[in-house]
Amino acid sequence: MKLFITGIGTDVGKTITSAIVTQALEADYWKPIQAGDLDNSDSHKIQRYICSDKTVIHENSYKLKTPASPHLAAAIDGITIDLKKIIEPSFDNALEANHLIIEGAGGLLVPLNDNDTIIDLIQPDYKIILVSRHYLGSINHTLLSFEALKSRNLNVAGIIFSGNENKATEEIILNKTKAKFIGRIDDEPYFDQNVIQYYADKFRENLLNL
């Protein structure tokens, strides 16, 4: 199973979600494009958060120096992001294949170059998990993200809410999208391996049923 983790915007909890899903499935992890924080990248954070000895964290296809939209970060580095150079990790044979968690950058329409955006990284065999964080305006941003995916004939396999329970928000989103509810990540005082493991155990069954 290949799960693409995307969000309704930046800083909504994609990396924490990716860590939880990676731990729950003892999956491999891959972030195709990292922009900025190369010494403390999302791949580094996943490594710290998980405790699975089965997980392989694959190299980014692009490591950009500036914490900015990938198209701008790439321009500052003097390069252009080429989708043909973003090659999904492969396994020697089907028996060795593991689940793969792919983490996007920012929201779906974050530009990679003059033509492509994050949504163009999503392949037909990926199952999409959308992370929606509770804040004023998040209903609109979540529904717009669903519409963007729907316009490409891409279906969301499930949704994870980030933030303490907000019944009114969650109910209207689930009602309008008909998306499967995987779980909610509460506003924790901190995240470490124990907290990640707690949510991994909580979400595992729903993830396996996607």
Side-chain angles (χ1 to χ4, degrees):
M1 180 163 56
K2 301 172 186 176
L3 292 172
F4 190 93
I5 311 293
T6 190
I8 63 172
T10 192
D11 293 329
V12 297
K14 290 188 305 297
T15 302
I16 290 295
T17 298
S18 295
I20 291 167
V21 176
T22 298
Q23 180 64 35
L25 301 177
E26 295 185 291
D28 285 9
Y29 170 86
W30 178 47
K31 179 153 187 170
I33 301 167
Q34 175 71 38
D37 298 323
L38 297 185
D39 293 329
N40 186 32
S41 68
D42 291 339
S43 296
H44 288 102
K45 293 171 185 174
I46 296 293
Q47 186 72 68
R48 290 199 304 270
Y49 284 140
I50 67 170
C51 53
S52 168
D53 57 9
K54 295 182 181 179
T55 295
V56 174
I57 297 176
H58 298 276
E59 280 293 312
N60 311 111
S61 297
Y62 284 94
K63 293 181 179 180
L64 308 171
K65 297 175 184 177
T66 305
S69 174
H71 81 292
L72 174 59
I76 292 171
D77 284 358
I79 61 174
T80 299
I81 293 174
D82 183 352
L83 291 191
K84 294 178 182 177
K85 294 182 179 179
I86 299 177
I87 301 172
E88 179 187 303
S90 60
F91 299 90
D92 292 335
N93 61 67
L95 294 177
E96 294 179 359
N98 193 10
H99 299 299
L100 179 64
I101 309 308
I102 307 114
E103 182 181 351
L108 289 164
L109 298 184
V110 166
L112 304 179
N113 51 45
D114 288 343
N115 300 306
D116 305 308
T117 66
I118 287 293
I119 199 171
D120 294 301
L121 297 176
I122 302 176
Q123 301 301 312
D125 61 336
Y126 292 177
K127 296 182 178 181
I128 303 163
I129 293 177
L130 183 64
V131 182
S132 175
R133 180 161 184 80
H134 296 321
Y135 56 80
L136 187 62
S138 68
I139 296 173
N140 181 53
H141 294 162
T142 304
L143 297 182
L144 284 172
S145 296
F146 269 89
E147 287 297 318
L149 291 163
K150 185 178 178 181
S151 73
R152 300 285 190 98
N153 293 317
L154 298 168
N155 294 316
V156 176
I159 187 167
I160 289 177
F161 290 110
S162 174
N164 294 333
E165 184 178 27
N166 185 321
K167 283 188 176 182
T169 293
E170 294 171 19
E171 286 176 0
I172 195 67
I173 288 172
L174 293 172
N175 180 57
K176 284 188 170 293
T177 62
K178 310 302 181 190
K180 180 174 181 178
F181 172 62
I182 296 172
R184 181 190 312 102
I185 305 167
D186 292 326
D187 285 329
E188 301 288 350
Y190 61 88
F191 286 94
D192 61 10
Q193 287 188 356
N194 290 330
V195 178
I196 295 297
Q197 185 66 62
Y198 165 77
Y199 282 103
D201 292 339
K202 193 173 182 180
F203 293 0
R204 184 174 296 109
E205 183 175 354
N206 284 341
L207 290 167
L208 289 171
N209 287 330
L210 291 180

